[in-house]
């Protein structure tokens, strides 16, 4: 909880002063900028490990609009504080009525960077893969959206090393596309397993910065799984 509180303070400081307020090691901003150079949006895959908001600010900057996909569950006073500070990304709230995927795809078509969490299930698009030795449901949404929209996916982790000091780990852009002959669910499982393989060693190295304050192995109220094979991209 103490580490999470420090992250909230840093998030507020970043909103006030920007990434220049921090010492950043291994920024990796070129990966996102190269992906944006293709003229399309980007799925920025983050997680509850480290400071996802700071990762977005560091990698994207002020030049490109960011849309953060999340459940808007923070206390209203915290939301007001962050919005008064400025720079806060627009939120696509998955708990709001209406088709969330349509809003995400529309933002990507406009060239936005869409930040999505890869370690907490929020809807019916998920698959089960081993995480730290035990099967766990992991969201498929970021990978499904990137494949349907034909945009690069960039995974990034922003990890606190000390006062105003962060290590930014950014993986090379991935271009995902469904291949014929295998189900989408099987291909999503392969992609997600690769992401978990990158996440696990960092979780072991920074266990007190994994702010998933519930058991991912047996989450309460898990939505009924929806097969990705039922989704068809809209034409036009």
């Amino acid at each position: 909880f103490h580490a999470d509180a420090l992250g909230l303070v840093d998030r507020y400081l970043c909103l006030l002063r920007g990434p220049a307020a921090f010492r950043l090691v291994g920024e990796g901003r070129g990966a996102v900028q190269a992906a944006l150079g293709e003229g399309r949006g980007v799925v920025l895959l983050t997680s509850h490990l480290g400071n996802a908001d700071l990762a977005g600010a560091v990698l994207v900057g002020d030049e490109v609009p960011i849309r953060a996909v999340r459940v808007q569950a923070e206390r209203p006073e915290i939301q007001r504080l962050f919005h008064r500070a400025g720079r806060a990304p627009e939120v696509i709230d998955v708990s709001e009525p209406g088709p969330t995927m349509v809003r995400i795809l529309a933002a990507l078509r406009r060239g936005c960077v869409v930040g999505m969490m890869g370690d907490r299930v929020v809807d019916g698009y998920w698959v089960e893969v081993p995480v730290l030795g035990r099967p766990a449901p992991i969201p498929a949404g970021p990978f499904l959206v990137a494949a349907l929209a034909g945009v690069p996916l960039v995974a990034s982790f922003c990890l606190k090393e000390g006062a105003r000091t962060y290590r930014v780990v950014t993986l090379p852009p991935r271009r995902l596309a469904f291949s014929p002959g295998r189900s989408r669910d099987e291909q999503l499982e392969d992609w997600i397993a690769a992401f978990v393989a990158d996440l696990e060693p960092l979780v072991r190295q920074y266990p007190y910065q994994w702010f998933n304050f519930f058991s991912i192995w047996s989450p309460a109220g898990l939505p009924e799984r929806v097969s990705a094979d039922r989704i068809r991209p809209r034409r036009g």
Side-chain angles (χ1 to χ4, degrees):
F1 288 111
H2 178 258
D4 194 25
L6 293 177
L8 285 173
V9 172
D10 285 346
R11 178 178 164 192
Y12 185 61
L13 179 61
C14 184
L15 290 174
L16 288 174
R17 301 186 184 177
F22 301 91
R23 178 175 176 267
L24 303 166
V25 180
E27 289 186 34
R29 189 179 184 191
V32 174
Q33 297 304 313
L36 286 169
E38 298 182 9
R40 297 177 291 175
V42 171
V43 172
L44 180 61
L45 180 61
T46 59
S47 68
H48 291 82
L49 178 67
N51 196 320
D53 292 273
L54 184 55
V58 169
L59 297 173
V60 181
D62 297 327
E63 302 86 5
V64 179
I66 302 177
R67 302 292 183 264
V69 180
R70 62 175 59 148
V71 176
Q72 190 67 289
E74 289 177 326
R75 294 176 63 89
E77 54 266 37
I78 293 179
Q79 294 182 37
R80 289 194 296 270
L81 181 68
F82 286 163
H83 280 289
R84 283 202 301 268
R87 300 174 187 259
E90 182 178 322
V91 173
I92 297 177
D93 189 348
V94 299
S95 64
E96 289 182 351
T100 300
M101 186 173 292
V102 172
R103 297 198 294 268
I104 294 171
L105 292 173
L108 290 169
R109 283 196 296 270
R110 294 194 299 270
C112 298
V113 172
V114 175
M116 304 182 73
M117 294 283 191
D119 60 350
R120 183 178 296 183
V121 173
V122 295
D123 56 28
Y125 299 109
W126 55 270
V127 300
E128 194 171 70
V129 298
V131 179
L132 298 174
R134 293 173 55 193
I138 297 296
F143 307 88
L144 178 59
V145 164
L148 292 178
V151 301
L153 179 145
V154 178
S156 183
F157 310 91
C158 196
L159 303 154
K160 191 174 181 68
E161 294 279 10
R164 296 196 187 186
T165 302
Y166 277 84
R167 173 191 175 196
V168 183
V169 178
T170 305
L171 305 180
R174 298 183 63 189
R175 289 157 182 82
L176 307 176
F178 290 114
S179 302
R182 296 181 66 205
S183 74
R184 288 182 174 182
D185 292 335
E186 290 174 335
Q187 295 175 71
L188 284 168
E189 186 173 332
D190 289 346
W191 299 339
I192 291 169
F195 167 70
V196 170
D198 292 319
L199 175 70
E200 284 180 323
L202 294 172
V203 168
R204 294 182 186 277
Q205 187 175 356
Y206 301 88
Y208 293 109
Q209 293 190 46
W210 197 22
F211 305 121
N212 235 336
F213 292 118
F214 78 115
S215 174
I216 70 165
W217 297 276
S218 54
L222 184 68
E224 182 179 355
R225 195 178 73 83
V226 177
S227 172
D229 292 295
R230 294 171 52 186
I231 303 296
R232 291 293 178 268
R234 297 178 63 184
R235 301 297 180 184

